[in-house]
Amino acid sequence: MDFTVEYEPSPGEVVRALEQALKHQLKALIWLFPAFLVVFGAVFLLLGNIGIGLGMLVAAIVVPFVIPWSLRRAARKQVPFICVPTTLHVTDEGYESRSEKLTTQARWSLFSRVVVTPEFWLFFANKQATGFLPRKAFTPAQQAQLDARLAPLTNPSA
């Protein structure tokens, strides 16, 4: 496998990729934090501390809405650096992304896990989101080659 493509991601595409990657990275936090707030809110209510108990229960309701909003906000900050004409060079060893503003290079061995979505390959190293490649930047044949190369990393054992 050795191919090079020219691509310019759209702002919406970048926001969706980063949001999806962060949701995978923070999956436990997104579920555990509201549960924590409910449990301790109930404890405070039982102990008679109504203000703190109600505050925690309200926060448990609000947090699931605030987290996706904050993820989108954080992702939008990256848009100016990523939404530029980019050259992607992909080989059996890894990939390089080169633009006027940023050049990154990574070997496939860096990644502990790859999440495949209909739109992206999302890359993780030690449970941390580290990058993505947009599927539509590649031809169907190139996508198939990438899917085959990344298949060992797509089974989430981490």
Side-chain angles (χ1 to χ4, degrees), residues 83-116:
C83 292
V84 295
T86 303
T87 301
L88 300 170
H89 181 215
V90 180
T91 66
D92 286 326
E93 290 78 37
Y95 78 95
E96 179 181 73
S97 174
R98 185 174 291 195
S99 72
E100 188 177 298
K101 296 183 179 194
L102 181 66
T103 297
T104 58
Q105 188 174 20
R107 293 189 173 275
W108 302 128
S109 59
L110 166 71
F111 306 120
S112 55
R113 181 170 66 118
V114 176
V115 174
V116 179

Side-chain angles (χ1 to χ4, degrees), residues 10-106:
S10 70
E13 197 174 29
V14 169
V15 169
R16 285 191 308 277
L18 295 175
E19 184 179 12
Q20 288 175 29
L22 289 172
K23 278 183 181 178
H24 280 278
Q25 178 179 321
L26 302 173
K27 192 183 302 184
L29 175 68
I30 291 170
W31 289 103
L32 291 177
F33 189 59
F36 168 84
L37 290 171
V38 166
V39 168
F40 281 93
V43 168
F44 277 104
L45 287 174
L46 291 172
L47 293 174
N49 199 331
I50 305 299
I52 292 175
L54 287 176
M56 292 182 108
L57 292 175
V58 168
I61 294 168
V62 172
V63 163
F65 298 102
V66 171
I67 289 176
W69 171 81
S70 65
L71 293 178
R72 280 189 298 279
R73 185 170 177 247
R76 283 190 185 102
K77 291 179 180 180
Q78 302 302 316
V79 166
F81 302 106
I82 300 174
C83 292
V84 295
T86 303
T87 301
L88 300 170
H89 181 215
V90 180
T91 66
D92 286 326
E93 290 78 37
Y95 78 95
E96 179 181 73
S97 174
R98 185 174 291 195
S99 72
E100 188 177 298
K101 296 183 179 194
L102 181 66
T103 297
T104 58
Q105 188 174 20

